[in-house]
Every structure is written in structure tokens, then in C-alpha cells.
Amino acid sequence: MPTSLCSRYKYNCQRRRSVQGQIQTSAFTVHSWYPGIQPAPPSFADLMGRSALASSAQGDAATAEVARKRQQQEDAAIFLVHLLISCANAIQAGDYAAATSNLAAARTALATTVSTAGGIGRVLSHFAAALAQRLVPAFPTQHGAAPNAASSAAHAGELYRQFYEAGPYLKFAHFTANQAILEACDGCDRVHVIDLAIMQGVQWPSLIQAFSLRPGGPPAVRITGIGPPPAADGSRNELQDVGVRLAELARALNVPFSFNVVTADSLDALKPWMFQIAPGEALAVNSVCQLHRLLVDQDAASTSLPSPIDAVLGWVTAIQPRVFTVVEQEADHNKPTLVERFVNALFYYAAVFDSMEALSAQRLALTGRPAAGGLGAEAYLQREIFNIVCSEGSGRVERHEPLVLWHARLWRAGMWQMPVGPSALGQATALLRTFSGAGFRAHESGGCLSLMWHDQALFTSSVWRAAPPTNTAAGDSILDKQADNGKSSSGSSGHHQAAAAPGGIAMK
């Protein structure tokens, strides 16, 4: 989205004070939500006046024509944004006739005046499609609205991989988490990492390699990967395949390694005994973009049972990890009303899509080839957009919240924040140097690291540990106090819905 369009739309919305009298001014206050925001472009008269000083009359006319066309495109895009927000507002009010009318007008604009080949038109086309999905039928789905039914774990994993390849987003998340684990486990002989969503395991080769280079030799590394239960049709177990690949890498690097699988339909169904924690292990728990999926509506929370997020943070605290790495989208998509979520998501994903487009243009200029994973990465983001816009209740799982809310929640759960070390910022900056020409940078604030697209935070990484028990001195090793926390149960095998798969792949 051009910066002039961002500032003009926000300014127009502030002057209007609401969209159709129902959207509060605060939702549209002019601020630098968009990266690198600049003042609105010079007026037509300014452009003409400046041109006259340095150009011929023919040059003046050409400049004026370019400015006129740009103005028309921005006006059309601003009007399209207004139509889509009006549609969301009508849906929220239950006026489906008005919503259908606004959506039809928006689709006409997308087909005739706003290009969907790139820029703001491309991201707006996804939001228009999400609103259309929400309107068919004319009430929100309770089971999540994905762009298609191909929502298997294998399909989701492939989209995740392509989003990983498309830019620094997940690379930044994995790197900052791995750096924190590496520093927290310095000098430990045995390291046990519990990954709340192992996916395809792309995070862990770099950590294994880093441990292999440790002076004095590598520790024994054990990774417990959490994932969905195997498919009922008996198809290939991808989690075990991940373990095989990681074991082969560890063998080549002479790192003692073992891999365990824990399957679960939901993270809150897990229990500490499933991880078979051994006394003396340096325990790390890793969560990359997973905790927000555990949030629920306030009115849906049970008064007798802990909410899913409280249950998970409860068992994480109970196992007393040396380090708990948390990476989340720096966004606010868990508002109770559709319009608030829609507006916040529109601005956030406009920044993400713009960064992907800039990165693709940079790679094309440097290598002559487009960025890897483009279509799959776009589909990955589209699934998130659809879930935010289309789903309500238990079907809505993309409940991104900003760091300030996570900080308060983790503190209440008994976690202490560990500020990132000075080397983490330097190394994250080095990681992003490849992408810096496209506008990415790392930013440290409040002991956390954020991936920035110009001035817009996209992802934030924070590091935590369980607070020591009241009878433990702050300087004591927490791990020395947990000998009984992770003893395995003789009945730990044989479970399928939320059970450990003991006796994982091992390598000496």
C-alpha cells in the first residue's frame, strides 16, 4: 500500500470520525501504523510548480499526467477499503443486504479499477474473498473458514515451509529462539528441547550445528516434537520422518541425539509426564506462533476448568524450564467485534504483503529470479486472514495479541522474563542484513526482539523462565529442584490422542 494512501485513508477516516456512524475514531487515529510512513505526496499544484522550475512544458505535462493517474489509483483504493470496512460493519450489525451490496461494489472495483496483481489491491482481494466466505451462509462458521478443505497437517506443514522460505519472518523467529536456548544451556551436558509445534523441524538443524561447535564438545541433545496424531488412513508418519532427518544431521556432526514424539489433538491435553523429563536435563520449551491459538472468548471460558492457555502455561511452569522461548505476531487480532479485527488485520497484513512484495522485487533485481515460496506463502497468510474474518467461537484460532498482553499473561502464570543478551541483537541484525535492502531490521525494546518492516513490528520474540519456588534462592538452579517433575510413567505408552511416543530415534 503506498504510504500516501495509508496516511490519506487514515486521515480521511479520522475526519469522518466513523464509518457509517458506527466505527469509533480511535480505531482509525492517524499514526504510523504503516512502515516508513511519509507525509502525503505534494499536491497537483506543487508538482506542477516544481516541474516548471526544472522542466520544459512537455515535462510538466508528463509529470502532471503521472500524478493524475496515481491520484486516481489511490482514490480508487481508498474507496475500496471503505467499501470493505462498510461491508464488515454491516455484517456485524446483521444487515446482510447492505453487506452484500457493499461487497458487490468492492468486487466491481477489484475487477475494473484496482489491480490485484500487486500492491494494496492484492491484499484487499484476500479480505474481499474472506468477507464473501463469511456471507455464505449469512452467519459465521463455528469450524473455521479456510480457503479450501485441504487443511490436513501435511498441507499446513507445506504452506508453513513455503512461508519460511519466502522471507525472514520465521527465520527470525527460529534464530532468536535458538540463540536464547543456546545461551541458557551454556555449559550443560544434557539438553532437552520441547517444541510445542515441531512442524517440519526446520528450526532445529541450526541449533544442532551450533551445539556441535561448542568448545569442549557438544551436549547430548534430546528434542521432543509435539504434533497431531497420525492420520487414520495409516499414511506416512511425518513426525517420525522429521526425527530421522534430524538424527542423520546430528550423526554427521557427532552430536549425541535422540528424538521423541508426543501427539495431541490440543496442547492443553498434554501432561508433564508425557515428556519423560530426566533429572539433570537442561530443559527448554519452545513456542513459535502457537500460544495465540489457545486463547478463547471471555464468555466461553469455563468457571470450573482452566482455559486452554492457562492449562498450557500451567504445565510449562510446572516442569520448571531453564528457558521458555515465545515468538508471536505483533498484532491485535483478538478483538471481540468483527470490525475491530477486520481493520487491525487489514493494516497488519498490508504491511506483511508489502514487505513480501519489496523482498521479491529485490531478489528479482539481484538474481533475475522471484522470491522462493511466493504462492505458498501467500496461501499461508490467506488462511490466517480467512480465520480472523470468517470464524467465531472455537473456530477462530488466529487470535494474535501484542506483546504487552502476553507479558502480563506470562507474568501471572509464574514466569520471569529474561532479557535478550546483547549478542542476540547483533546476530539478528546480521541475519537480516541479507534482507535489509528490502526494509527489514531487528529492534530491541523491553528486553525483547522484534522483526521490523521499516517502523512496523511484525513478530516479537521474548524469553522466559519459570519463577523459582518461594523456598529457592533466586540464584539457585531451578533444574536441581525438579528431580521428580519429569519421571516417566510405566503407562506412558499406548495413548493416541495425547500421548508420548517413547523410545524415539536415538543416536550415539
Side-chain angles (χ1 to χ4, degrees):
M1 181 186 269
T3 55
S4 58
L5 175 57
C6 300
S7 54
R8 283 183 59 210
Y9 180 70
K10 285 236 171 194
Y11 175 68
N12 289 344
C13 288
Q14 188 184 42
R15 289 182 61 194
R16 207 159 35 235
R17 298 192 62 80
S18 65
V19 174
Q20 294 185 342
Q22 296 188 41
I23 304 175
Q24 296 300 316
T25 308
S26 59
F28 297 93
T29 300
V30 178
H31 64 284
S32 298
W33 70 269
Y34 190 76
I37 196 164
Q38 301 293 333
S43 67
F44 178 82
D46 289 337
L47 288 170
M48 290 297 291
R50 295 175 189 175
S51 279
L53 297 175
S55 305
S56 64
Q58 183 178 2
D60 291 343
T63 301
E65 180 63 17
V66 170
R68 184 186 67 81
K69 290 183 177 179
R70 183 178 65 180
Q71 191 73 48
Q72 286 180 337
Q73 292 171 353
E74 291 186 1
D75 288 344
I78 287 174
F79 182 61
L80 176 56
V81 171
H82 172 72
L83 285 172
L84 292 177
I85 295 178
S86 296
C87 177
N89 194 47
I91 293 174
Q92 182 175 301
D95 188 350
Y96 296 109
T100 301
S101 176
N102 284 318
L103 182 59
R107 283 177 153 176
T108 299
L110 285 168
T112 58
T113 60
V114 179
S115 172
T116 59
I120 186 59
R122 195 165 188 86
V123 68
L124 290 180
S125 68
H126 292 304
F127 279 87
L131 288 172
Q133 176 72 33
R134 172 116 187 188
L135 281 170
V136 183
F139 50 83
T141 175
Q142 292 295 315
H143 303 288
N148 54 56
S151 57
S152 66
H155 181 69
E158 176 59 21
L159 294 183
Y160 184 90
R161 184 192 66 79
Q162 293 193 44
F163 184 61
Y164 175 88
E165 296 291 344
Y169 316 101
L170 294 177
K171 294 181 179 71
F172 171 86
H174 293 168
F175 175 84
T176 53
N178 286 354
Q179 182 66 26
I181 294 171
L182 190 67
E183 293 177 1
C185 298
D186 184 37
C188 299
D189 295 329
R190 290 185 292 160
V191 176
H192 184 180
V193 179
I194 299 174
D195 189 351
L196 299 191
I198 189 71
M199 303 298 284
Q200 296 184 339
V202 294
Q203 177 172 349
W204 304 119
S206 62
L207 182 65
I208 294 173
Q209 183 177 27
F211 277 132
S212 74
L213 300 175
R214 196 172 75 172
V221 177
R222 181 153 68 107
I223 293 178
T224 295
I226 299 172
D233 59 7
S235 57
R236 192 176 183 86
N237 189 330
E238 294 203 359
L239 294 181
Q240 291 293 350
D241 289 345
V242 169
V244 170
R245 291 194 296 269
L246 293 177
E248 290 174 348
L249 172 66
R251 182 182 297 110
L253 296 174
N254 295 317
V255 176
F257 180 80
S258 63
F259 182 82
N260 292 335
V261 172
V262 173
T263 60
D265 290 317
S266 60
L267 292 175
D268 56 307
L270 297 172
K271 304 298 180 186
W273 62 263
M274 297 177 179
F275 306 115
Q276 301 183 9
I277 301 169
E281 288 182 326
L283 188 62
V285 179
N286 178 73
S287 173
V288 174
C289 302
Q290 294 302 309
L291 295 185
H292 68 263
R293 303 175 67 87
L294 299 168
L295 302 177
V296 296
D297 294 331
Q298 287 297 323
D299 57 0
S302 171
T303 56
S304 59
L305 297 174
S307 66
I309 184 64
D310 289 338
V312 170
L313 293 181
W315 65 251
V316 170
T317 304
I319 63 178
Q320 295 281 290
R322 180 180 291 265
V323 60
F324 179 32
T325 52
V326 176
V327 182
E328 285 289 334
Q329 291 89 340
E330 188 61 27
D332 194 4
H333 302 153
N334 196 27
K335 296 296 187 182
T337 63
L338 171 62
V339 173
E340 287 182 289
R341 295 201 310 271
F342 187 91
V343 172
N344 291 347
L346 177 60
F347 292 157
Y348 177 82
Y349 286 102
V352 177
F353 272 80
D354 192 51
S355 69
M356 288 175 58
E357 191 168 306
L359 182 58
S360 182
Q362 180 195 45
R363 288 185 177 176
L364 187 62
L366 293 175
T367 67
R369 299 189 302 273
L375 292 179
E378 188 170 341
Y380 177 88
L381 296 174
Q382 185 194 41
R383 289 165 66 93
E384 292 186 353
I385 292 170
F386 268 59
N387 189 264
I388 293 167
V389 174
C390 300
S391 302
E392 297 291 352
S394 61
R396 182 159 61 87
V397 296
E398 299 298 345
R399 296 173 176 264
H400 312 139
E401 290 189 345
L403 174 66
V404 62
L405 297 182
W406 285 114
H407 190 284
R409 185 177 288 114
L410 288 163
W411 182 265
R412 289 195 303 269
M415 293 287 176
W416 281 7
Q417 185 184 355
M418 301 168 60
V420 295
S423 63
L425 177 59
Q427 295 193 43
T429 299
L431 171 72
L432 295 174
R433 193 165 292 130
T434 305
F435 309 97
S436 60
F440 294 100
R441 63 184 177 89
H443 174 70
E444 188 275 336
S445 179
C448 304
L449 278 181
S450 293
L451 172 65
M452 310 291 292
W453 165 244
H454 294 289
D455 292 330
Q456 170 75 38
L458 301 180
F459 292 84
T460 296
S461 175
S462 58
V463 184
W464 303 80
R465 72 176 299 168
T470 55
N471 60 346
T472 302
D476 291 346
S477 170
I478 293 175
L479 291 171
D480 292 339
K481 309 294 181 179
Q482 64 171 46
D484 295 329
N485 281 349
K487 290 183 178 179
S488 60
S489 167
S490 60
S492 62
S493 61
H495 294 263
H496 299 289
Q497 297 304 308
I505 303 163
M507 190 199 82
K508 299 295 185 184

